[in-house]
Amino acid sequence: MTDLTTEPAPDPTTAPPLDPAEARRLLDLWDTQQSAYVAYRENRFQVLLDLLSLHLGDRPITVLDLACGPGAISARVLAALPRARCVAVDYDPVLLRIAAGALAGHGDRIDVRDVDLVADDWADRLGVDQVDAVLSSTALHWLTPTQLLAVYTTAAGLLRPGGILLNADHLHFGPEHPTLAAVAQRHDERTQQAGFAAGALRYQDWHTEAARVPALAALVAERQRRFADRPKPPDAPLEFHLAALRTAGFTEVGTVWQYLDDHVVFARR
């Protein structure tokens, strides 16, 4: 008789245990790797932190970190804003496990959750009904335009009145800007060459390094299963993001930082 039972997928936020020091090492390697692909990456993060502080003030706030990866945004928010609490969500089990370990020292100020932004009910899995800010960096380009509009609409519903959404990402120039598109591509290539020459891992090499860690190796197959049918969609330009945010119900929308095709998009509820 064929055994049709299957073992449940591992929970990336709880087991197997990952040493916090190892998790922080991988987060540091991630930051270095990402900085080889994103010029002035720390400037992006500083803009996010400045907007949180200047707009929301020095008070307790809850920040939703969308597609948090190994915890880069949450780590910076928790360090810079001692009265902030973060709910960090992602669907990549390897990155989630690293985030849970790297941010564990912040205690109950951080809640790492396994959430698929493509699911219709993803907001029901957050453990909170409302937040003061929604942040994301170099992540939402993995959503199709339809999915992106749905995520923006749900995020608007989660935000308290006056709350803000900030999305930092490469939003590439379209065919109407051939010179700017070519310049931005050359700048990206130069940034990557300098980063790799300085010792940064390439994206796939970072994942190979993470997979060498026994506590993460068991999650690699689950990661592959989850994303097997999700190729990267075509780029959504800046104009689509701004229009989608207005359609989603945000009252004030704009760009608060730009370097070539790298943007931080702002929206207020």
Side-chain angles (χ1 to χ4, degrees), residues 151-206:
V151 166
Y152 280 158
T153 301
T154 301
L158 288 166
L159 281 165
R160 295 184 176 92
I164 57 175
L165 179 147
L166 296 166
N167 180 24
D169 210 343
H170 268 125
L171 305 178
H172 297 292
F173 294 111
E176 72 278 12
H177 295 297
T179 302
L180 289 175
V183 168
Q185 181 176 350
R186 288 196 292 272
H187 186 265
D188 285 346
E189 292 169 353
R190 182 184 300 174
T191 299
Q192 291 171 32
Q193 290 170 0
F196 299 146
L201 296 175
R202 286 172 168 76
Y203 179 78
Q204 190 55 51
D205 292 337
W206 181 91

Side-chain angles (χ1 to χ4, degrees), residues 1-15:
M1 179 181 294
T2 302
D3 184 4
L4 299 179
T5 62
T6 58
E7 293 195 12
D11 183 344
T13 64
T14 58

Side-chain angles (χ1 to χ4, degrees), residues 13 62-75 78 85-91 95-96 99-100 103 109-115 117 125-126 128 131 135:
T13 64
T62 299
V63 174
L64 174 58
D65 183 357
L66 283 186
C68 66
I73 286 180
S74 289
L78 294 169
R85 176 177 179 268
C86 289
V87 178
V89 305
D90 206 294
Y91 193 51
L95 299 184
L96 275 173
L103 303 173
R109 294 178 62 212
I110 179 67
D111 185 5
V112 178
R113 293 193 169 235
D114 185 0
V115 171
L117 295 179
R125 303 172 182 271
L126 301 179
V128 294
V131 298
L135 308 183

